[in-house]
Amino acid sequence: MEAVSSSGILPHGKVYGLNHRNFNQKSSMSCPQTRSFKSAHCYSSEGLKGSQLLNSIEKRNPVGQTFSSAGAYTYVGSAVESPTHAVEEKVGVLLLNLGGPETLHDVQPFLFNLFADPDIIRLPRLFQFLQRPLAQLISVIRAPKSKEGYAAIGGGSPLRKITDEQAHAIKAALEAKNMHVNVYVGMRYWYPFTEEAIEQIKKDKITRLVVLPLYPQFSISTTGSSIRVLESIFREDAYLSRLPVSIIQCWYQRQGYINSMADLIEEELQIFSKPKEVMIFFSAHGVPVSYVEDAGDPYRDQMEECIYLIMQELKARGISNKHTLAYQSRVGPVQWLKPYTDEVLVELGQKGVKSLLAVPVSFVSEHIETLEEIDMEYKHLALESGIENWGRVPALGCTSSFITDLADAVIEALPAAKAMTTQSTSKEVNMDPVSYAIKMFFGSILAFVLLLSPKMISMLKNQLL
């Protein structure tokens, strides 16, 4: 397959005299605090705190296999001087997303890619050599259940198709603003992989790049993981290390996004016979508590602020429904952010709530967690628990106001583009070689005994299935 088709890019475009355009000079990379929440910040490429929080990450090749590791890096932005005369520039926009299996045959290798990511399963340094064996075990155990879910929504994830549609829509929105760009799609765990998109960016000789993760809120496990892949690629390539890049870390606070979410909620409320009695139920993708409390992930604070902003907009429109927030999609034996969606649904039913409108606030595209988990599993649970009227707000997809706002975010971020140079922030631990060898030896024995024991396998089955 040719690189153009496999990397999910859109047709070429050029920008002439970019430095003479009347761009809004306010960078969209920082997230202003509308309400006081601790740690609810977005980090620009000049001080990527989210990156510093992560342990080692392994970048992937186009077939989804990890092939080398890199330490934790932070950007030390070096400004690139703009020429005083009009020059031809080729601007690129890289959309980052999770990716998803397109067929049932893809499910197990997709799950392996997911769980082989050290930002998804964070092992102590002593046991990091078990990352791939553990990912293989989990993916094999998890695959049958996951296949059932994907089979229920048509046999595969629609995420790539929808992301491609969003890429075309963003390109068209930018062209309507007289800005011609190349738009690329890079997925973290399935085709087209981020590495493929970056390779095409090099071939196209892009001179400025805006990186736009399709996650409204920043988390180590989503935006953070994808950016770590970019860091490891850019630091090893002479061309890329000089390329001016602007990374939009998060955009949940943008008024265009808030208005678009409020529009969808307002529209869905009108479907109920008694709109004012409907509970608005925000269901966000969860993350392990340790990410927030130990690693400083701002995701929870940003999510709470996001809900606050949406509800403020609804109240300004005269909509004052009760609302609540819960977290879905937990996996494994560790504690995840609470309250859990399934538990809250049961509690609401017991409290007499009769009408519920589910809002998937972490997602801007329909995929397994909206189409199967929310629309099927949670709906069934809600009706079983006594909730009589169920509704669900669709993902934003290619909603025109949302796409226009993303295009504006790209334009606002572009002037802040700087060359990315990375330096390692990881420190090698000075350890006596003999002590290190002893720890590795006994640690390996213990790890394999635990990993291969029937009790451990049984526990994994119970937790993952």
Side-chain angles (χ1 to χ4, degrees), residues 219-239:
S219 175
I220 290 172
S221 58
T222 54
T223 302
S225 178
S226 293
I227 290 175
R228 286 292 300 276
V229 172
L230 293 181
E231 288 179 325
S232 64
I233 296 173
F234 275 62
R235 68 184 294 267
E236 297 171 2
D237 187 282
Y239 169 78

Side-chain angles (χ1 to χ4, degrees), residues 91-141:
V91 176
V93 177
L94 174 59
L95 304 183
L96 299 177
N97 213 332
L98 184 76
E102 297 178 55
T103 69
L104 295 183
H105 179 74
D106 299 334
V107 172
Q108 191 274 321
F110 165 78
L111 291 176
F112 171 80
N113 289 342
L114 178 69
F115 292 117
D117 182 356
D119 295 325
I120 299 298
I121 296 182
R122 310 181 77 207
L123 298 176
R125 177 176 295 185
L126 186 61
F127 300 113
Q128 285 178 358
F129 69 97
L130 286 173
Q131 190 83 47
R132 289 171 61 86
L134 184 60
Q136 183 67 26
L137 176 62
I138 295 176
S139 65
V140 169
I141 294 174

